[in-house]
Amino acid sequence: MNKTITSAYNWREPSLTWPVTTETGPGMEGVIACETRVAWVDPAGGGIYYRGVPAVDLARTQTYEQVAFLLIEGKQADEHPDEFAGFRDRLREARRIPAPVVDVVRNLPRDTHPTRLLRAGVSALGCFMMSSDEDRYGTRHWQDLEIVGQLTRLVGEVARHRRGLPAGDPACDCSLAAGLLEAINDREPTPEETARLDMAWVFYADHGLDAPAFTGMVVGSALADPYYNIVAGLSALRGAKQGGTGEYVLHELLKLRDPHVARAWARGMLAQGWRIPGFGHRLYRQPDPRVEEIKQQVRALADQKGQKMLVDVAEAVEDEVTSRLAQKGVHANINLYSAVLFHLLGSEPEMVPCLYAVGRVAGMVARVREYLAHNRLFRPLEIYAGPEERSYVPMEAR
Amino acid sequence: MIGTKDRTIDTQTYGRGLEGLRFGETTVGRIDGRAGRLWYRGYPLEQLCEQSNFEEVAYLVMHGELPNRAEWDAWDRELRAWRTPPRDALAVLQWLPTDAHPLMQYRTMLSVAACMMPDLENTRLDAQWQRPARILAWTAALAAAAIRHLKGQPPLPPKEHLGFAANFLWQALGREASEEECRAFEVSLIVQAEHGLHAAALGALLVISTGADLGGAVLAGMGALSGKLHGGANQDAFEMFHALSLGGPGRAQGFSEKADRVQNDGTAAGVESRNPTSGASRANQARQEGAPGLSEKVDTTAVLDHARAWTRRKLEEGFRFPGFGHRVYKTHDPRARALEPLAERMLRATGHGVLWEVYGAVKHEVEAKLGPRGIFANVDAVTGLVYHPLGLPTASFPIPFALAIQTGWMAHCLEYIPSGRMIEPGSVYLG
């Protein structure tokens, strides 16, 4: 590609020829890391498309399992029912992880942050899934699908461990969403609860080349084992500027007693120039279509459960913020209402990044697998701006 | 001009894998790929190898200056104080299968230890600066435990009077290594302490840029390093030399088939049902452990003739030799050059002279053919030749690399935190 690309985000081309020339800025802004057919974020329209299908449409009509199939295999579940059934069964079956992996998690201090517990569990899982030879010679493969199922089980076990519940029983043949809700709340979920979790996961399944996905790709490009990609991706996901946002949002919202307090809090934050978590986006300058959808669904679930306070609080905050900042392109992002949703589904703030991770892993798997099909180790350069050559001085002379 | 401190924009041309992209400025290390030279904070690698030790180099790489006496005392004291990792991190080994790759067991211990770092949710810069000594000291102890676990042996307590390198060898090998052995190992740590923005360092930087803690960043770096295109390369390279040193065409043939698979798998990622059995890995390990005696009985001339012929044949086939060629160096790798005399001395002293000769033969053939295209032996070709005579198991060779290079990752992370934006490149959607 010989023309200059001013913003590599979400660029769309019929084809791409390396090397590329782009304008680049700090934090790799504008840099094209790869080509993809997995998903496209339309910064103008604010929509995200998975394999060409708007995510909002998918969230309304499909389960997370179907969307994982779409992202990873590139096929619509309803057009390939037999293949999808095989995929789904493997995904669900994968929840039967080796008992010692659960022991690893359960033997860690209960008050450790859940993403750390999850990371340790995923790392241990890798030790069981591949022996050292498979790990290194040819037999090593992405156990893609299984990871999605395994991660779901581990998140459930992390939640149970935190609550002092005994290890869960994965024997059920229910969906990933239903299984996880049952693990977290220790009761069978309602169909509405399961459907809302599916929706959140569909929305989180891919969002362009964000930090967890790109970290997974960088690690994958060295041909590391797939569990390691997830471990690394989880580390990136946890960062305060990434998946940690949802946790922070819920944490803050829960402190606000009612909509009046919420409005006052939001006004105060804005007056002092603070950024309010759950608002604004590096890509979008207009309302995110996913937010409207999730907001309606959260409202419906809250009404049904009779737990309206937190959604009232979130709407009050949104109203305060957008009335002042909408003209500057700041709108509620998906983390605002998903935080409320996760709360309604039984999650405390600390568990939010883990719940987010389950959804996110489908897109990660799809993107890493796509990159590995034409792999090239990531290895950028730096500009050296340090001291000129100098000679070693023994300690006595320093 | 790109800067991480301001928001300047530049137009750049780069290839797949971000080849040629200049990410930003650094003051940590400088690599001259054309001259084959490497500096840490301005100090030439060769001088540090001759006069410094790993602890001091680690301080230099992270802090930017060599420590004065008081700084050294504090740093050394802290490194020693953290030599005993959390018991739970060691205990996790009991749940893991012994035939899992030691790097996987090691990283699992790290991910457990990452739950136990004091003040671990604090990501303020001063809290992050508390972590390097803990990470270096803990990881060394955990790595040694992973190596002992390979042989079914329990972890050993540290020895107070030993330095970082010597204590690691004691905890890994269960014997105090000689001064020469310690020095060779120490130099291997020094030459691998920092190497710019390789994939693992980039992985660590990505994680730190999201606002995570330094331990999480090191874990991500470990991930990339565990890949066979990265840290695993020293194991692959050594296994190639080792198979060739055993002489018979059958042996080398066996390797070449395996090596071919490595190459093919390097670009493919199919899905196959997993096979958790590991008889092959045990057999492989047993073969390697039984090897030293064998290697002395074979006819050196025949072994070398065979190694040369095999290398030439594989060169004709376009085989990518593990441990040869580097994205940045287009000439002799200074890290390999620094280690070569140490490797030769140790191999000859332990009766593995033929391994050294085989290395020389393969290197000569590969560089004669590919040198004009900028392909030379890199550090991964040589580290195994230092680690093998020490008695470290082949599968553990990536571990010392990990111990050393995390220093550079931490330096890059600590450098990036104050001014760093979240690293977020884009992708081009085709379709």
Side-chain angles (χ1 to χ4, degrees), chain A residues 109-153:
Chain A
R110 211 175 268 172
D111 57 353
T112 313
H113 196 280
T115 44
R116 292 178 190 271
L117 300 178
L118 183 61
R119 201 165 61 182
V122 173
S123 184
L125 191 56
C127 296
F128 284 89
M129 303 315 288
M130 272 163 293
S131 71
S132 50
D133 259 22
E134 287 175 302
D135 184 22
R136 297 185 52 252
Y137 295 112
T139 43
R140 163 165 48 191
H141 291 300
W142 267 79
Q143 313 285 324
D144 332 353
L145 325 173
E146 294 182 0
I147 281 181
V148 180
Q150 289 164 335
L151 197 72
T152 317
R153 169 78 192 285

CSV table of all heavy atoms in Angstrom, one decimal, chain A residues 109-153:
chain,number,residue,atom,x,y,z
A,109,PRO,N,-5.3,-17.5,48.2
A,109,PRO,CA,-6.1,-16.7,49.2
A,109,PRO,C,-7.3,-16.2,48.5
A,109,PRO,O,-7.3,-15.7,47.4
A,109,PRO,CB,-5.1,-15.5,49.5
A,109,PRO,CG,-3.8,-16.0,49.1
A,109,PRO,CD,-3.9,-17.0,48.1
A,110,ARG,N,-8.4,-16.3,49.2
A,110,ARG,CA,-9.7,-15.9,48.7
A,110,ARG,C,-9.9,-14.5,48.3
A,110,ARG,O,-10.6,-14.1,47.5
A,110,ARG,CB,-10.7,-16.3,49.8
A,110,ARG,CG,-12.0,-16.7,49.3
A,110,ARG,CD,-12.9,-17.2,50.5
A,110,ARG,NE,-12.8,-18.6,50.7
A,110,ARG,CZ,-13.3,-19.2,51.8
A,110,ARG,NH1,-14.0,-18.5,52.7
A,110,ARG,NH2,-13.1,-20.5,51.9
A,111,ASP,N,-9.1,-13.6,49.0
A,111,ASP,CA,-9.3,-12.2,48.8
A,111,ASP,C,-8.3,-11.7,47.7
A,111,ASP,O,-8.3,-10.5,47.4
A,111,ASP,CB,-9.0,-11.4,50.1
A,111,ASP,CG,-7.6,-11.7,50.7
A,111,ASP,OD1,-6.9,-12.6,50.1
A,111,ASP,OD2,-7.2,-11.0,51.6
A,112,THR,N,-7.6,-12.6,47.0
A,112,THR,CA,-6.8,-12.2,45.9
A,112,THR,C,-7.7,-11.7,44.8
A,112,THR,O,-8.8,-12.2,44.6
A,112,THR,CB,-6.0,-13.4,45.4
A,112,THR,OG1,-5.4,-14.0,46.5
A,112,THR,CG2,-4.9,-12.9,44.4
A,113,HIS,N,-7.3,-10.8,44.0
A,113,HIS,CA,-8.1,-10.3,42.9
A,113,HIS,C,-8.5,-11.4,42.0
A,113,HIS,O,-7.6,-12.2,41.6
A,113,HIS,CB,-7.5,-9.1,42.1
A,113,HIS,CG,-8.5,-8.4,41.3
A,113,HIS,ND1,-8.9,-8.9,40.1
A,113,HIS,CD2,-9.2,-7.3,41.5
A,113,HIS,CE1,-9.8,-8.1,39.6
A,113,HIS,NE2,-10.0,-7.1,40.4
A,114,PRO,N,-9.8,-11.6,41.6
A,114,PRO,CA,-10.2,-12.7,40.8
A,114,PRO,C,-9.4,-12.9,39.5
A,114,PRO,O,-9.2,-14.0,39.0
A,114,PRO,CB,-11.6,-12.4,40.5
A,114,PRO,CG,-12.1,-11.5,41.5
A,114,PRO,CD,-10.9,-10.7,42.0
A,115,THR,N,-9.0,-11.8,38.8
A,115,THR,CA,-8.2,-12.0,37.6
A,115,THR,C,-6.9,-12.7,37.8
A,115,THR,O,-6.4,-13.4,37.0
A,115,THR,CB,-8.0,-10.7,36.8
A,115,THR,OG1,-7.5,-9.7,37.8
A,115,THR,CG2,-9.2,-10.2,36.1
A,116,ARG,N,-6.3,-12.5,39.0
A,116,ARG,CA,-5.1,-13.2,39.3
A,116,ARG,C,-5.3,-14.6,39.6
A,116,ARG,O,-4.5,-15.5,39.2
A,116,ARG,CB,-4.5,-12.5,40.6
A,116,ARG,CG,-4.0,-11.1,40.3
A,116,ARG,CD,-3.4,-10.5,41.6
A,116,ARG,NE,-3.2,-9.1,41.4
A,116,ARG,CZ,-2.0,-8.6,40.9
A,116,ARG,NH1,-1.0,-9.4,40.6
A,116,ARG,NH2,-1.9,-7.3,40.8
A,117,LEU,N,-6.5,-14.9,40.2
A,117,LEU,CA,-6.8,-16.4,40.4
A,117,LEU,C,-7.0,-17.0,39.1
A,117,LEU,O,-6.6,-18.1,38.8
A,117,LEU,CB,-8.1,-16.5,41.3
A,117,LEU,CG,-8.0,-15.9,42.7
A,117,LEU,CD1,-9.4,-16.0,43.4
A,117,LEU,CD2,-6.9,-16.6,43.5
A,118,LEU,N,-7.8,-16.3,38.2
A,118,LEU,CA,-8.1,-16.9,36.9
A,118,LEU,C,-6.8,-17.1,36.1
A,118,LEU,O,-6.6,-18.2,35.5
A,118,LEU,CB,-9.0,-15.9,36.2
A,118,LEU,CG,-9.5,-16.3,34.8
A,118,LEU,CD1,-10.3,-17.6,34.9
A,118,LEU,CD2,-10.4,-15.2,34.2
A,119,ARG,N,-5.9,-16.2,36.2
A,119,ARG,CA,-4.6,-16.3,35.5
A,119,ARG,C,-3.8,-17.5,35.9
A,119,ARG,O,-3.3,-18.3,35.1
A,119,ARG,CB,-3.8,-15.0,35.7
A,119,ARG,CG,-2.8,-14.7,34.7
A,119,ARG,CD,-2.3,-13.3,34.8
A,119,ARG,NE,-1.7,-13.0,36.1
A,119,ARG,CZ,-1.3,-11.8,36.5
A,119,ARG,NH1,-1.4,-10.8,35.7
A,119,ARG,NH2,-0.8,-11.6,37.7
A,120,ALA,N,-3.8,-17.7,37.2
A,120,ALA,CA,-3.1,-18.9,37.8
A,120,ALA,C,-3.8,-20.1,37.3
A,120,ALA,O,-3.1,-21.1,36.9
A,120,ALA,CB,-3.0,-18.8,39.3
A,121,GLY,N,-5.1,-20.1,37.3
A,121,GLY,CA,-5.8,-21.3,36.9
A,121,GLY,C,-5.6,-21.6,35.4
A,121,GLY,O,-5.3,-22.8,35.0
A,122,VAL,N,-5.6,-20.6,34.6
A,122,VAL,CA,-5.4,-20.8,33.1
A,122,VAL,C,-3.9,-21.3,32.9
A,122,VAL,O,-3.7,-22.3,32.1
A,122,VAL,CB,-5.6,-19.5,32.3
A,122,VAL,CG1,-5.2,-19.7,30.9
A,122,VAL,CG2,-7.0,-19.1,32.4
A,123,SER,N,-3.0,-20.8,33.7
A,123,SER,CA,-1.6,-21.2,33.5
A,123,SER,C,-1.5,-22.7,33.9
A,123,SER,O,-0.8,-23.5,33.2
A,123,SER,CB,-0.7,-20.3,34.4
A,123,SER,OG,0.6,-20.7,34.2
A,124,ALA,N,-2.1,-23.1,35.0
A,124,ALA,CA,-2.0,-24.5,35.4
A,124,ALA,C,-2.7,-25.4,34.4
A,124,ALA,O,-2.2,-26.5,34.1
A,124,ALA,CB,-2.7,-24.6,36.8
A,125,LEU,N,-3.8,-24.9,33.9
A,125,LEU,CA,-4.5,-25.7,32.9
A,125,LEU,C,-3.6,-26.0,31.7
A,125,LEU,O,-3.6,-27.2,31.2
A,125,LEU,CB,-5.7,-24.8,32.4
A,125,LEU,CG,-6.8,-25.5,31.5
A,125,LEU,CD1,-7.4,-26.7,32.3
A,125,LEU,CD2,-7.9,-24.5,31.2
A,126,GLY,N,-2.8,-25.0,31.3
A,126,GLY,CA,-1.9,-25.3,30.2
A,126,GLY,C,-0.9,-26.5,30.4
A,126,GLY,O,-0.6,-27.2,29.5
A,127,CYS,N,-0.5,-26.6,31.7
A,127,CYS,CA,0.4,-27.7,32.0
A,127,CYS,C,-0.3,-29.1,31.8
A,127,CYS,O,0.4,-30.1,31.6
A,127,CYS,CB,0.8,-27.6,33.5
A,127,CYS,SG,1.8,-26.1,33.9
A,128,PHE,N,-1.6,-29.1,31.9
A,128,PHE,CA,-2.3,-30.4,31.8
A,128,PHE,C,-2.7,-30.6,30.3
A,128,PHE,O,-2.8,-31.8,29.9
A,128,PHE,CB,-3.6,-30.4,32.6
A,128,PHE,CG,-3.3,-30.6,34.0
A,128,PHE,CD1,-3.1,-29.5,34.9
A,128,PHE,CD2,-3.3,-31.9,34.5
A,128,PHE,CE1,-2.9,-29.7,36.2
A,128,PHE,CE2,-3.0,-32.1,35.9
A,128,PHE,CZ,-2.8,-31.0,36.7
A,129,MET,N,-2.8,-29.6,29.5
A,129,MET,CA,-3.3,-29.7,28.2
A,129,MET,C,-2.2,-30.1,27.2
A,129,MET,O,-2.4,-30.7,26.2
A,129,MET,CB,-4.0,-28.5,27.7
A,129,MET,CG,-5.1,-28.0,28.6
A,129,MET,SD,-6.2,-29.3,29.1
A,129,MET,CE,-7.1,-29.6,27.6
A,130,MET,N,-0.9,-29.8,27.5
A,130,MET,CA,0.1,-30.1,26.6
A,130,MET,C,1.4,-30.6,27.3
A,130,MET,O,1.8,-30.0,28.3
A,130,MET,CB,0.5,-28.9,25.8
A,130,MET,CG,-0.4,-28.8,24.5
A,130,MET,SD,-0.3,-27.1,23.9
A,130,MET,CE,-1.1,-26.3,25.2
A,131,SER,N,1.9,-31.7,26.9
A,131,SER,CA,3.2,-32.2,27.5
A,131,SER,C,4.3,-31.4,26.8
A,131,SER,O,4.1,-30.7,25.8
A,131,SER,CB,3.3,-33.7,27.2
A,131,SER,OG,3.6,-33.9,25.9
A,132,SER,N,5.5,-31.6,27.3
A,132,SER,CA,6.6,-30.7,26.8
A,132,SER,C,6.9,-31.0,25.3
A,132,SER,O,7.3,-30.0,24.6
A,132,SER,CB,7.8,-30.9,27.7
A,132,SER,OG,8.1,-32.3,27.8
A,133,ASP,N,6.7,-32.2,24.8
A,133,ASP,CA,7.0,-32.4,23.4
A,133,ASP,C,5.9,-31.8,22.5
A,133,ASP,O,6.2,-31.1,21.5
A,133,ASP,CB,7.2,-33.9,23.1
A,133,ASP,CG,8.6,-34.3,23.0
A,133,ASP,OD1,9.4,-33.5,23.6
A,133,ASP,OD2,8.9,-35.3,22.4
A,134,GLU,N,4.7,-32.0,23.0
A,134,GLU,CA,3.6,-31.4,22.2
A,134,GLU,C,3.8,-29.9,22.1
A,134,GLU,O,3.5,-29.3,21.1
A,134,GLU,CB,2.3,-31.7,22.8
A,134,GLU,CG,1.9,-33.2,22.6
A,134,GLU,CD,0.6,-33.4,23.4
A,134,GLU,OE1,0.6,-33.2,24.6
A,134,GLU,OE2,-0.4,-33.8,22.8
A,135,ASP,N,4.2,-29.4,23.3
A,135,ASP,CA,4.3,-28.0,23.4
A,135,ASP,C,5.3,-27.4,22.4
A,135,ASP,O,5.2,-26.3,21.9
A,135,ASP,CB,4.9,-27.7,24.8
A,135,ASP,CG,5.0,-26.3,25.1
A,135,ASP,OD1,4.3,-25.5,24.5
A,135,ASP,OD2,5.7,-25.9,26.0
A,136,ARG,N,6.3,-28.2,22.0
A,136,ARG,CA,7.4,-27.7,21.2
A,136,ARG,C,7.4,-28.2,19.8
A,136,ARG,O,8.0,-27.5,18.9
A,136,ARG,CB,8.7,-27.9,21.9
A,136,ARG,CG,8.8,-27.2,23.2
A,136,ARG,CD,10.1,-27.3,23.9
A,136,ARG,NE,11.1,-26.9,22.9
A,136,ARG,CZ,12.0,-27.7,22.4
A,136,ARG,NH1,11.9,-29.0,22.6
A,136,ARG,NH2,12.9,-27.3,21.5
A,137,TYR,N,6.8,-29.3,19.5
A,137,TYR,CA,7.0,-29.8,18.1
A,137,TYR,C,5.7,-30.2,17.4
A,137,TYR,O,5.2,-31.3,17.6
A,137,TYR,CB,7.9,-31.0,18.1
A,137,TYR,CG,9.3,-30.7,18.5
A,137,TYR,CD1,9.8,-31.1,19.7
A,137,TYR,CD2,10.1,-29.9,17.7
A,137,TYR,CE1,11.1,-30.8,20.1
A,137,TYR,CE2,11.4,-29.5,18.1
A,137,TYR,CZ,11.9,-30.0,19.3
A,137,TYR,OH,13.1,-29.6,19.7
A,138,GLY,N,5.2,-29.3,16.7
A,138,GLY,CA,4.2,-29.6,15.7
A,138,GLY,C,2.9,-30.0,16.2
A,138,GLY,O,1.9,-29.7,15.7
A,139,THR,N,2.8,-30.7,17.3
A,139,THR,CA,1.5,-31.1,17.8
A,139,THR,C,0.9,-30.0,18.6
A,139,THR,O,-0.3,-30.2,19.1
A,139,THR,CB,1.7,-32.4,18.7
A,139,THR,OG1,2.8,-32.2,19.6
A,139,THR,CG2,1.8,-33.6,17.9
A,140,ARG,N,1.6,-29.0,18.8
A,140,ARG,CA,1.0,-27.9,19.6
A,140,ARG,C,0.0,-27.1,18.8
A,140,ARG,O,0.3,-26.6,17.7
A,140,ARG,CB,2.1,-26.9,20.1
A,140,ARG,CG,1.5,-25.6,20.5
A,140,ARG,CD,2.5,-24.8,21.3
A,140,ARG,NE,3.8,-24.7,20.7
A,140,ARG,CZ,4.8,-24.2,21.4
A,140,ARG,NH1,4.7,-23.8,22.6
A,140,ARG,NH2,6.0,-24.2,20.8
A,141,HIS,N,-1.2,-27.0,19.2
A,141,HIS,CA,-2.2,-26.2,18.5
A,141,HIS,C,-3.0,-25.4,19.4
A,141,HIS,O,-3.1,-25.7,20.6
A,141,HIS,CB,-3.1,-27.2,17.7
A,141,HIS,CG,-2.4,-27.9,16.6
A,141,HIS,ND1,-1.8,-27.2,15.6
A,141,HIS,CD2,-2.2,-29.2,16.4
A,141,HIS,CE1,-1.3,-28.1,14.8
A,141,HIS,NE2,-1.5,-29.3,15.3
A,142,TRP,N,-3.6,-24.5,18.8
A,142,TRP,CA,-4.6,-23.8,19.6
A,142,TRP,C,-5.8,-24.7,19.9
A,142,TRP,O,-6.4,-25.2,19.1
A,142,TRP,CB,-5.2,-22.6,18.8
A,142,TRP,CG,-4.4,-21.4,19.0
A,142,TRP,CD1,-3.2,-21.1,18.5
A,142,TRP,CD2,-4.8,-20.4,19.9
A,142,TRP,NE1,-2.8,-19.9,19.1
A,142,TRP,CE2,-3.7,-19.5,19.9
A,142,TRP,CE3,-5.9,-20.1,20.7
A,142,TRP,CZ2,-3.7,-18.3,20.7
A,142,TRP,CZ3,-5.9,-19.0,21.4
A,142,TRP,CH2,-4.8,-18.1,21.4
A,143,GLN,N,-6.0,-24.9,21.2
A,143,GLN,CA,-7.1,-25.7,21.6
A,143,GLN,C,-8.3,-24.7,21.7
A,143,GLN,O,-9.0,-24.7,22.7
A,143,GLN,CB,-6.9,-26.3,23.0
A,143,GLN,CG,-5.5,-27.0,23.1
A,143,GLN,CD,-5.5,-28.3,22.4
A,143,GLN,OE1,-6.5,-29.0,22.3
A,143,GLN,NE2,-4.4,-28.6,21.8
A,144,ASP,N,-8.4,-24.0,20.6
A,144,ASP,CA,-9.2,-22.7,20.7
A,144,ASP,C,-10.5,-22.9,21.4
A,144,ASP,O,-10.8,-22.2,22.4
A,144,ASP,CB,-9.6,-22.3,19.3
A,144,ASP,CG,-8.6,-22.7,18.2
A,144,ASP,OD1,-7.6,-23.2,18.6
A,144,ASP,OD2,-8.9,-22.5,17.1
A,145,LEU,N,-11.3,-23.8,20.9
A,145,LEU,CA,-12.7,-23.8,21.3
A,145,LEU,C,-12.7,-24.2,22.8
A,145,LEU,O,-13.4,-23.7,23.6
A,145,LEU,CB,-13.4,-24.9,20.6
A,145,LEU,CG,-13.0,-25.0,19.1
A,145,LEU,CD1,-13.6,-26.2,18.4
A,145,LEU,CD2,-13.3,-23.7,18.4
A,146,GLU,N,-11.8,-25.1,23.1
A,146,GLU,CA,-11.8,-25.6,24.5
A,146,GLU,C,-11.5,-24.5,25.5
A,146,GLU,O,-12.1,-24.4,26.6
A,146,GLU,CB,-10.8,-26.8,24.6
A,146,GLU,CG,-11.3,-28.0,23.8
A,146,GLU,CD,-10.4,-29.2,23.9
A,146,GLU,OE1,-9.4,-29.1,24.6
A,146,GLU,OE2,-10.8,-30.2,23.3
A,147,ILE,N,-10.6,-23.6,25.1
A,147,ILE,CA,-10.3,-22.5,26.0
A,147,ILE,C,-11.5,-21.7,26.4
A,147,ILE,O,-11.6,-21.3,27.5
A,147,ILE,CB,-9.2,-21.6,25.3
A,147,ILE,CG1,-7.8,-22.3,25.5
A,147,ILE,CG2,-9.2,-20.3,26.0
A,147,ILE,CD1,-6.7,-21.5,24.9
A,148,VAL,N,-12.4,-21.5,25.4
A,148,VAL,CA,-13.6,-20.7,25.7
A,148,VAL,C,-14.4,-21.4,26.8
A,148,VAL,O,-14.8,-20.8,27.8
A,148,VAL,CB,-14.4,-20.5,24.5
A,148,VAL,CG1,-15.6,-19.6,24.8
A,148,VAL,CG2,-13.5,-19.8,23.4
A,149,GLY,N,-14.6,-22.7,26.7
A,149,GLY,CA,-15.3,-23.4,27.7
A,149,GLY,C,-14.6,-23.5,29.0
A,149,GLY,O,-15.2,-23.4,30.1
A,150,GLN,N,-13.3,-23.8,28.9
A,150,GLN,CA,-12.5,-24.0,30.1
A,150,GLN,C,-12.5,-22.7,31.0
A,150,GLN,O,-12.5,-22.7,32.2
A,150,GLN,CB,-11.0,-24.4,29.7
A,150,GLN,CG,-11.0,-25.8,29.2
A,150,GLN,CD,-9.7,-26.0,28.5
A,150,GLN,OE1,-9.0,-25.1,28.0
A,150,GLN,NE2,-9.2,-27.3,28.4
A,151,LEU,N,-12.3,-21.6,30.2
A,151,LEU,CA,-12.3,-20.3,30.9
A,151,LEU,C,-13.6,-20.0,31.7
A,151,LEU,O,-13.6,-19.5,32.8
A,151,LEU,CB,-12.0,-19.2,29.9
A,151,LEU,CG,-11.5,-17.9,30.5
A,151,LEU,CD1,-10.1,-18.0,31.0
A,151,LEU,CD2,-11.6,-16.7,29.4
A,152,THR,N,-14.7,-20.4,31.0
A,152,THR,CA,-16.0,-20.2,31.7
A,152,THR,C,-16.1,-20.9,33.0
A,152,THR,O,-16.5,-20.4,34.0
A,152,THR,CB,-17.1,-20.7,30.7
A,152,THR,OG1,-16.8,-20.3,29.4
A,152,THR,CG2,-18.4,-20.1,31.2
A,153,ARG,N,-15.6,-22.2,32.9
A,153,ARG,CA,-15.6,-23.0,34.2
A,153,ARG,C,-14.7,-22.4,35.2
A,153,ARG,O,-15.1,-22.3,36.4
A,153,ARG,CB,-15.1,-24.4,33.8
A,153,ARG,CG,-14.9,-25.3,35.1
A,153,ARG,CD,-16.1,-25.8,35.7
A,153,ARG,NE,-15.8,-26.4,37.0
A,153,ARG,CZ,-15.3,-27.6,37.2
A,153,ARG,NH1,-14.9,-28.3,36.2
A,153,ARG,NH2,-15.0,-28.0,38.4
